[in-house]
Each structure stands twice: as C-alpha cells, then as structure tokens.
Amino acid sequence: MGNVAAADLSKIVKAYDVRGVVPDQWDEGLSELFGAAFVRVTGADAIVVGHDMRPSSPGLSAAFARGAARQGADVTLIGLCSTDQLYYASGHLGLPGAMFTASHNPAQYNGIKLCRAGAAPVGQDTGLADIRALVESWSAAGTAPKPAPAGSAEGTVTERDTLEDYASHLLSLVDLAGMRPLKVVVDAGNGMGGHTVPSVFGRLPVTLVPLYFELDGTFPNHEANPLDPANLVDLQARVRAEGADLGLAFDGDADRCFVVDERGEGVSPSAITALVARRELAKHPGGTVIHNLITSWSVPEVVREHGGEPVRTRVGHSFIKEEMARTGAIFGGEHSAHYYFRDFWNADTGMLAALHVLAALGEQERPLSELVAEYDRYAASGEINSEVDDQAARAAAVRAAFAGRDDVTTDDLDGLTVAAGDWWFNLRASNTEPLLRLNVEARDAATMAKIRDEVLALVRGGA
C-alpha cells in the first residue's frame, strides 16, 4: 500500500499523465495501485510496461506490473526504453501501455504516461480521472484492491526486448537509400536517446559523435530539456568543433528532438514541421497536416503549396492526437518539437522526425542551413514568459488595446490570438503557474520587436 495520502493525488495526476516527486508525492505502493486501476479502467487482459533511466523507474514500473498482474492482466516488460519505443510496443502488440518517465523534469521526479492499445492517449477525459478515482478510494480505505475475479488466474509477467524491432520499424518509414554520408553530433542529455540512437543510426551512413550517451537519471551534465537554449550550448559548440553536418538533441525520454544546423544555429521546430510535412505529402498527396496555433505561418503555407490541407489546433499533444484521429491526418507538428505520424499510430516520435531531416539533407548537397531557409520565412520571438498576479486581467488589457484597430482579427481557440496582415501574436495562460506565455511572429524583425514590446508592456505594466 502507498504511504502517500489520497489528497495528494490532486498534485500528481495531471491533465495527461501522472507526475510528481518520489517518494514524497508517490511511491511504489501507490504505483501498484495505479497498475491495478489501469487494468480495471481499460478492461485489458494484457498490457506492456517500459521505463526510463531514472533511479526510481525500475522499482515503480515493477510495482505497477504487480498491481496489473494481480488483476489478471498479463504484463510484458520491455525495460529501458524511450517513450516512443513504448508507443511502438503498444501499437505493434496491440496492447495498452504504461511508460515510467518524468521526461525533462529533474531527477527527483517520476511519472507515468498511459495509453490504450495502438498508442491511443489516456487523459482526464479518456480514463485518467477514473483511474485516479479508483486509486483514491483504495488509498483512502487503506485496503488493497480485490484480486482478479474468482476463477481467473493472476496474470503473468514476462520480459521482451523491442529495441531492434522499434529501430527497424522507424527505418522502414523513411527512404534513406540514396543518402550521402553525414557527420552527426547527438546530445542525449544522459537520457534515453543514449539507448535508442545507436540502434537506429547504426544502420545508416552516419558518423555519430555521441554527447552524454551514458544513461544517468541524475542528469550530471545539463537538464534533458532542449527547449531551454542553455541546454543546447554544448551541442552547438561540438557541432562547430567537429565540422559536423548537423546536431540533434533529445529530451529525457527521447520523444522530442531539436535540430542544430552546421553552423551551430538552432533550427526552429516550425521549419522542421514544414520540412517533414512536405516529405509526408509527397508520400500521401492531398493529405491533412495538423499544426498548433503558435507554429509559424510558414507551416500552413508550405502544406498548401504542396497540395495538403492544414488544420490548426490548440497547443498540447491530446488536441493534436484527437485531430489526427478525427481528420485522418498524415502528420502533425508542434512548436515544442513534438512530431506526430499517422504511420506511427498517430503518436509522437522525435526519432522519426530526425530520420526525415537526415534523409532530406542526405539526398542533396546543400548544407542544412540552406535546406531549411525556405521553411524559415518570418521573424519570431520564441516563447516569452511573464509572471503576473492576475492572468485574466492582463490578458483582458491586451485584448482591449488591440480590439478596435483596423484590419485586426482575434480568436480564442487557445488563449488570445491577435493577427494583422504583417504580424500575429498569441497570449496563453499557463495552467500550472502564474504565467502568461507570449509568442509573436511578423514578416520582418522590426515589426516583430515592435509588437512584442507593446504586448509585453501591457502584460508587465500593472493595472
């Protein structure tokens, strides 16, 4: 049984996953209850479980497996894996899955990403709230869940290695036959990229320069969060020192991939989204491509230019995956470097996006900076966070300031988006912190800076 009070579940069961400090907020006893509840809610007779390199991951995942098996489900343990490797196993085996990871969070954190068979996401509205309710009831009562129904046996727990099959599947989805030799620096950030990259890249004409491939959930070199520019500094320096063709950075559970060109300059995830969309549309003419509302204008432009249908969504993987399923989209991309593929059960895989970049670069002779220039058409601010006392009041002040202007449109799909002919911005409130997040894009840098500074003055200027 868990030692953590039921009331604390409100702090660790998030919108799309479970995440918190171990053992203060959750422990192996509570993980066992989550395993039992997962089987009860999904009705699964078999599941697959994997984990990252965090010190607490083996124990937590084993406890989850015990809880699931005691409810009669057969459990396949795939051991150390990336999150997209767990999605592969869920899709290939046709089983609900549980991935133990806290992604890019610090070492004391851990979490569970859950999916139904075929890597379909589990969130608050698709089972996670029911799982939480069951765990709370058992924890509050201080009793273990009843075992499998009378007459049925406890489930088995077996181990299976899926790494090579995962690599083969990804390599089958991209034409890499005509690729020229490339020198690639990869920063795994001591995360699961150090586990998956050698198996995938080992079959390619790639000279791999590994950076922080040692699996170490204490993250001794830097946070495994490439969204923070500070965590790309080592990669950028190494790309320049090696004269490499490009650099790649993966986050802790290796489901996101960031790209650095031959000059050591970051390539925006919007440019990567546009590049991959073009390649996927060549395979699936006329297909639908999903993009969230703070990706660049260049993404829907490129999609239309190549005969596709762009669909704009809210920020967040659950919204992307819902739209992928609803529209039958072939691909989806986010500004945060999450990339989703119909050929990968609509799930996100940074590794597959990386293979597309290698293929696009390797099939022609130009350097990466020139290759992506056609997809990087506008001046962008990047995401700017402002701590505010009253998110709603500050957003309302911004809305009022722009509402009456000529040729300005607004929408509320996700936060406040304001657009004109030469610029747009989006202002969104964080769900977990007293922050407003601003993204601005314009046709030139001067206009972008002007709009950025005007909005920030309203956000940060007080009443």
Side-chain angles (χ1 to χ4, degrees), residues 32-47 64 67-73 96 116 127 130-135 137-138 143-150 152:
E32 188 170 330
L33 297 185
F34 274 110
F38 183 55
V39 169
R40 288 276 187 96
V41 169
T42 60
D45 56 13
I47 66 169
F64 186 96
R70 286 172 181 165
Q71 295 302 305
R116 294 181 185 268
D130 298 325
I131 291 168
R132 171 184 163 178
L134 269 178
V135 174
S137 68
W138 292 328
T143 58
K146 293 180 180 178
S152 63

Side-chain angles (χ1 to χ4, degrees), residues 218-443:
T218 67
F219 307 111
N221 295 290
H222 60 71
E223 286 186 354
N225 179 19
L227 196 59
D228 183 345
N231 298 321
L232 293 176
V233 171
D234 291 353
L235 175 65
Q236 292 168 312
R238 191 67 178 269
V239 165
R240 289 189 287 262
E242 294 280 347
D245 293 289
L246 75 161
L248 302 170
F250 291 91
D251 66 344
D253 60 336
D255 61 350
R256 288 186 296 153
C257 181
F258 287 74
V259 181
V260 169
D261 70 19
E262 79 288 350
R263 305 167 303 171
E265 299 294 326
V267 180
S268 82
S270 286
I272 299 300
T273 297
L275 180 151
V276 177
R278 179 177 180 175
R279 291 176 54 83
E280 287 289 296
L281 285 166
K283 291 197 299 181
H284 307 287
T288 297
V289 173
I290 310 295
H291 65 98
N292 75 26
L293 53 72
I294 54 178
T295 52
S296 170
W297 266 339
S298 64
V299 174
E301 287 175 0
V302 168
V303 170
R304 291 190 186 99
E305 287 163 10
H306 292 88
E309 180 65 33
V311 172
R312 180 173 175 263
T313 74
R314 295 179 63 183
V315 173
H317 75 268
S318 67
F319 302 114
I320 296 273
K321 289 177 179 177
E322 285 169 13
E323 284 298 288
M324 293 278 289
R326 186 184 69 80
T327 63
I330 59 174
F331 174 63
E334 293 201 87
H335 72 296
S336 54
H338 281 287
Y339 304 105
Y340 309 79
F341 295 82
R342 186 173 71 188
D343 291 342
F344 199 75
W345 301 280
N346 291 338
D348 43 325
T349 164
M351 187 69 77
L352 185 50
L355 290 177
H356 274 288
V357 173
L358 292 178
L361 180 60
E363 68 191 17
Q364 51 84 68
E365 296 300 323
R366 289 178 295 165
L368 184 60
S369 59
E370 291 182 22
L371 179 66
V372 299
E374 62 183 294
Y375 307 115
D376 198 9
R377 302 174 177 181
Y378 303 101
S381 66
E383 191 152 270
I384 303 169
N385 291 322
S386 301
E387 187 167 338
V388 296
D389 292 332
D390 189 334
Q391 293 167 319
R394 293 298 92 223
V398 173
R399 182 190 299 273
F402 284 89
R405 301 189 188 184
D406 293 339
D407 303 321
V408 167
T409 61
T410 63
D411 77 63
D412 302 291
L413 175 63
D414 190 354
L416 170 66
T417 301
V418 179
D422 292 333
W423 54 265
W424 64 266
F425 71 81
N426 174 267
L427 190 66
R428 295 160 37 247
S430 167
N431 292 322
T432 57
E433 302 172 272
L435 300 176
L436 284 173
R437 307 189 192 282
L438 174 66
N439 284 269
V440 185
E441 185 174 70
R443 296 194 187 278

Side-chain angles (χ1 to χ4, degrees), residues 169-191:
H169 179 69
L170 290 179
L171 291 166
S172 75
L173 299 177
V174 183
D175 182 4
L176 296 149
M179 178 180 157
R180 63 183 167 93
L182 297 172
K183 189 174 190 178
V184 184
V185 181
V186 177
D187 185 343
N190 299 110

